[in-house]
């Protein structure tokens, strides 16, 4: 299934130009899904999942964040609310609300912020590798930072990718590249500048939580804690043989989980 590119623009609150680009798959009349990528990662991480959902009749939009591909705009002193305005503009202009908004890792924070700020645009929220209040171990934190360290040797870099993002039996080479340090710094700063309580509840929307059982960064205990806090509003599905990357490890299974949730 082919992707269709889009390009739209908007002005931020200071009047600066923001260019928002991405791709769409699936029939125009299909139920809309928007997917937000992980920290410093491109929308193409979702390609296999998006194609599977597109073949099933869904209309899937994959936005690129500022700094990746042709998307551009101010990159400093942003909050998650600023980045959520980008997502909201994509939903209103390209995807057509209300959508199921799915975020992977960092993307789950952005998805929850968008749902909290603009609940009328989001019917459901999907969290992949959601993280939470339980901190990642120090070794995993160092591996995450190492994925963006351009000074590491290729062997050191891929070991960081392997430890931080992939289950023991899976090949990390599929994520050998795609690491955007400037975008990571922008997004990390936006997280620090945004109170957790602003986005934690995701606007009260129904929530799908997909938890990889070998995730070294977003530990399974976080998903269990979130389910305990939200009760029936959250549907928790555990994913074996997958780590923090999840998407390249189990794309068919993730697409099936999303379909089952939407079609239940």
């Amino acid at each position: 299934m082919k992707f269709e590119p889009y390009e739209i623009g908007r002005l931020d609150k200071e009047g600066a130009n923001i260019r928002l680009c991405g791709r769409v798959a699936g029939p125009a009349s299909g139920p809309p899904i928007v997917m937000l990528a992980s920290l410093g990662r491109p929308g193409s991480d979702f390609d296999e999942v998006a194609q599977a959902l597109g073949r099933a009749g869904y209309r899937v939009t994959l936005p690129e964040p500022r700094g990746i591909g042709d998307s551009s705009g101010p990159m400093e002193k942003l909050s998650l609310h600023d980045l959520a305005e980008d997502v909201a503009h994509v939903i209103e202009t390209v995807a057509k609300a209300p959508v199921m908004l799915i975020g992977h890792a960092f993307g789950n924070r952005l998805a929850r912020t968008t749902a909290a700020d603009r609940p009328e645009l989001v019917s459901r929220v999907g969290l992949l590798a959601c993280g939470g209040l339980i901190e990642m171990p120090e070794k995993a934190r160092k591996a995450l930072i190492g994925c963006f360290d351009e000074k590491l040797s290729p062997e050191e870099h891929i070991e960081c990718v392997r430890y931080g993002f992939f289950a023991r039996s899976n090949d990390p080479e599929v994520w050998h590249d795609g690491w955007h340090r400037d975008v990571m710094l922008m997004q990390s700063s936006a997280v620090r500048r945004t109170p957790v309580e602003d986005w934690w509840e995701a606007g009260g929307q129904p929530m799908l939580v997909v938890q990889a059982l070998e995730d070294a960064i977003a530990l399974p205990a976080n998903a269990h804690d979130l389910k305990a806090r939200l009760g029936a509003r959250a549907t928790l599905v555990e994913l074996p043989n997958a780590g923090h990357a999840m998407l390249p490890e189990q794309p068919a299974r993730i697409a099936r989980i999303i379909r089952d949730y939407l079609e239940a």
Side-chain angles (χ1 to χ4, degrees), residues 10-263:
R10 74 176 188 88
L11 299 177
D12 71 7
K13 58 190 176 185
E14 305 297 332
N17 287 310
I18 301 172
R19 184 185 189 189
L20 302 171
C21 301
R23 296 167 301 137
V24 182
S29 60
I33 300 173
V34 176
M35 296 179 159
L36 308 176
S38 180
L39 186 71
R41 297 287 308 177
S44 58
D45 285 350
F46 284 102
D47 278 6
E48 290 184 82
V49 174
Q51 288 174 331
L53 291 170
R55 288 191 295 269
Y58 291 89
R59 183 72 164 173
V60 185
T61 301
L62 305 181
E64 295 292 8
R66 303 183 195 187
I68 294 183
D70 292 326
S71 292
S72 61
M75 301 276 283
E76 297 182 352
K77 297 182 179 180
L78 302 175
S79 71
L80 287 177
H81 299 292
D82 297 313
L83 300 181
E85 289 181 15
D86 291 353
V87 178
H89 191 62
V90 170
I91 293 173
E92 291 177 311
T93 308
V94 179
K96 310 303 182 185
V99 305
M100 180 172 185
L101 185 57
I102 298 175
H104 176 221
F106 161 81
N108 97 86
R109 290 169 169 79
L110 183 53
R112 285 196 259 182
T113 305
T114 306
D117 289 353
R118 299 291 303 276
E120 76 279 7
L121 300 181
V122 182
S123 60
R124 295 177 178 86
V125 178
L127 310 182
L128 313 181
C130 66
L133 301 179
I134 300 170
E135 294 291 333
M136 71 184 79
E138 180 63 16
K139 186 175 180 180
R141 187 190 68 81
K142 290 181 178 179
L144 173 60
I145 294 172
C147 290
F148 296 95
D149 188 345
E150 299 169 350
K151 297 179 182 179
L152 295 182
S153 69
E155 295 76 17
E156 292 171 324
H157 178 262
I158 202 64
E159 175 57 22
C160 288
V161 176
R162 184 202 65 77
Y163 184 85
F165 284 82
F166 284 79
R168 290 183 295 274
S169 61
N170 296 333
D171 185 0
E173 284 290 341
V174 66
W175 270 22
H176 180 270
D177 53 16
W179 304 95
H180 296 261
R181 179 176 172 81
D182 55 343
V183 177
M184 176 274 289
L185 293 173
M186 179 261 295
Q187 293 172 335
S188 297
S189 173
V191 170
R192 292 192 297 271
R193 294 169 65 90
T194 309
V196 172
E197 54 268 24
D198 284 10
W199 52 266
W200 187 259
E201 289 288 333
Q205 304 293 30
M207 188 178 295
L208 169 66
V209 181
V210 182
Q211 176 62 51
L213 293 180
E214 295 187 49
D215 195 330
I217 291 176
L219 300 174
N222 279 301
H224 298 154
D225 175 73
L226 186 62
K227 170 63 178 173
R229 291 170 183 267
L230 299 183
R233 182 155 70 89
T235 299
L236 173 61
V237 181
E238 294 183 320
L239 191 65
N241 193 33
H244 196 61
M246 187 186 296
L247 296 167
E249 297 176 283
Q250 297 282 350
R253 176 64 179 140
I254 292 171
R256 183 73 256 179
I257 290 169
I258 294 168
R259 287 188 61 190
D260 288 346
Y261 178 73
L262 288 172
E263 297 166 12

